[in-house]
Amino acid sequence: MARKLIAITACATGVAHTYMAEKALLKAAKKMGVLMKVETQGATGIGNKLTAKDVQIGEAVIFATDTKVRDADRFDGKKILQVNVSDPIKDAEKVINSALEAADKG
């Protein structure tokens, strides 16, 4: 059965890095056989908003952010991996593997 992760990407200005990180995570997840949904919190608002069901089935949450996550209380009780928004742009597979390890630690 495929692993399932969710993520939030957001940079300080909410423009380029937010979407570059989203694209990198989705591409790496597909390559790794991991199901992933990414919510962007950018200058134009929230894109691809995670639903309560998304949050429930996600084994862990990646916060690839350089700014405060909006509505972060939605993720109370979830394993959260906090990284800089540039980290998945540099090595998305490493970020995904770290999130899966966090999920496995219970």
Side-chain angles (χ1 to χ4, degrees):
M1 186 195 299
R3 305 292 302 265
K4 298 174 184 75
L5 294 174
I6 54 177
I8 302 282
T9 62
C11 64
T13 56
V15 189
H17 287 95
T18 299
Y19 304 101
M20 289 167 63
E22 173 197 30
K23 185 175 180 179
L25 285 169
L26 291 172
K27 182 178 178 183
K30 184 175 183 177
K31 178 181 172 189
M32 298 168 72
V34 174
L35 297 176
M36 178 173 279
K37 185 170 179 184
V38 181
E39 175 179 304
T40 56
Q41 296 187 358
T44 58
I46 293 177
N48 204 26
K49 187 169 177 68
L50 296 169
T51 66
K53 184 176 181 183
D54 294 330
V55 174
Q56 180 185 0
I57 64 174
E59 296 175 50
V61 186
I62 298 168
F63 283 178
T65 61
D66 288 343
T67 186
K68 189 173 188 275
V69 172
R70 296 179 212 155
D71 302 322
D73 58 343
R74 296 178 284 166
F75 307 104
D76 287 350
K78 299 298 282 188
K79 290 285 182 186
I80 296 173
L81 175 68
Q82 176 70 59
V83 298
N84 292 325
V85 73
S86 61
D87 290 351
I89 297 167
K90 293 176 193 165
D91 192 346
E93 287 188 33
K94 180 180 176 185
V95 172
I96 290 170
N97 281 324
S98 295
L100 292 172
E101 287 173 20
D104 290 342
K105 290 180 182 173

